[in-house]
Amino acid sequence: MLQPETDTQSTPLVGHAAPPHLQVMSFNLRNAVGDGTDPWPERRAANRALLRAELPTVIGTQEGLYQQLREVAGALPAEYDWIGTGREGGSRGEFMAVFFDASRLEPREFDHFWLSDQPNLVGSSSWGNQVVRMATWVRFRDRSTGVTFVVLNTHLDHAVDEAQRRGAELVAERLGEFDADLPVLVTGDFNVAAEASEPYATLVGKAGLVDTWTAADERLSPPYATFHGYQPPEVGGDRIDWILTRPGVRVPVAAVNTFTLDGRWASDHWPVQALVELPRA
């Protein structure tokens, strides 16, 4: 296995995107629970350096806790903003936050739903899972191109097959409520393997979404497992973190970013990135 790469702000893997392209990142931050296993205070600098190097146009984060997300926001340039709510309501629990470059993207509408039989009930869970799961979506207008699009960010259950399957089905159902010609970007930690799981078949097969990794004109990294658990990059492991789009979105570049700073990981997941170009009406 390859050793983690130590990067600097001067050498981004994908880097800032100029119009009409958007750089999209999905990043499980690993929550700041302070359990003694590479705690957040020891990862904070690597997280800041990573985000400052890449400057994604939009970032779907998973697992972040409120104070942790405030620190992530403080690490980004002043023009960035974010939208989210805790999965137990308000500031409580993990967020499916969406960060974005507000100098480029104007949020027009947003909402949250819970992956349960009562998706509009805050903190609800169903289908046997012991952990509350949810999704956040934001409708943006690109100030540079005038294109309107939706970003949906989610985190499927980690343990229960039915919860994973039905969570993916609910996400697909909610995406179907948006106008068919509206570009959609989906970010998330899906906790199952791309190309080899029922949730992937639901979203990429039945719902017709496109996996940016397989669709990309160029991949800037090997196909690393996206959950690394503080181990060196593993080529050919499971990609459980995905960026999906509706058809018609061009994907020049995709990558799994193995950034470390002085040997320190930013999370127990590698962030995944895609450079995309949305269709214009």
Side-chain angles (χ1 to χ4, degrees):
M1 293 187 292
L2 301 178
Q3 293 300 310
E5 299 168 13
T6 299
D7 242 324
T8 68
Q9 293 186 30
S10 62
T11 55
L13 183 62
V14 177
H16 181 264
H21 297 104
L22 305 169
Q23 194 220 133
V24 184
M25 175 183 283
S26 184
F27 191 16
N28 183 319
L29 298 169
R30 186 177 182 272
N31 67 42
V33 294
D35 63 359
T37 304
D38 211 31
W40 171 247
E42 296 180 11
R43 298 184 285 115
R44 186 188 294 118
N47 190 283
R48 176 187 177 91
L50 166 67
L51 296 178
R52 281 278 183 166
E54 297 299 333
L55 294 177
T57 322
V58 62
I59 314 164
T61 67
Q62 302 87 40
E63 290 199 14
L65 302 178
Y66 179 62
Q67 186 58 43
Q68 182 182 18
L69 294 172
R70 291 187 62 186
E71 293 183 18
V72 171
L76 288 162
E79 61 267 25
Y80 279 73
D81 201 351
W82 66 283
I83 289 171
T85 193
R87 65 189 184 190
E88 276 86 42
S91 62
R92 298 182 298 278
E94 297 175 3
F95 285 58
M96 302 305 106
V98 177
F99 288 81
F100 56 96
D101 180 351
S103 69
R104 173 82 185 272
L105 302 181
E106 176 190 6
R108 292 292 189 89
E109 182 182 14
F110 73 91
D111 207 349
H112 318 280
F113 63 91
W114 279 258
L115 305 187
S116 78
D117 286 332
Q118 298 177 287
N120 297 322
L121 179 62
V122 175
S124 59
S125 63
S126 305
W127 314 321
N129 54 309
Q130 301 301 307
V131 178
V132 176
R133 301 294 183 181
M134 65 171 296
T136 292
W137 62 263
V138 185
R139 186 192 300 262
F140 289 109
R141 177 183 175 273
D142 187 334
R143 301 177 194 271
S144 298
T145 65
V147 173
T148 298
F149 65 100
V150 165
V151 173
L152 185 149
N153 182 40
T154 194
H155 189 178
L156 295 189
D157 196 66
H158 67 296
V160 179
D161 290 347
E162 184 178 5
Q164 293 168 349
R165 175 178 61 81
R166 296 188 65 174
E169 290 172 352
L170 180 59
V171 168
E173 177 185 320
R174 288 300 179 100
L175 291 175
E177 296 175 2
F178 295 113
D179 292 344
D181 60 351
L182 183 69
V184 169
L185 305 171
V186 180
T187 57
D189 173 0
F190 294 88
N191 271 315
V192 292
E195 304 179 74
S197 63
E198 196 166 354
Y200 188 89
T202 294
L203 293 167
V204 176
K206 296 176 184 176
L209 298 178
V210 174
D211 182 347
T212 56
W213 177 263
T214 60
D217 298 336
E218 180 183 9
R219 300 182 190 96
L220 300 183
S221 69
Y224 292 127
T226 59
F227 173 77
H228 58 77
Y230 306 111
Q231 298 298 317
E234 178 188 356
V235 176
D238 291 342
R239 285 191 301 113
I240 67 171
D241 301 88
W242 317 332
I243 299 172
L244 310 176
T245 74
R246 276 183 170 172
V249 175
R250 181 170 170 260
V251 187
V253 166
V256 179
N257 193 330
T258 60
F259 181 100
T260 64
L261 181 69
D262 299 326
R264 177 66 66 186
W265 288 266
S267 173
D268 58 354
H269 287 241
W270 304 125
V272 297
Q273 294 167 260
L275 192 67
V276 302
E277 182 178 355
L278 305 181
R280 304 195 192 199

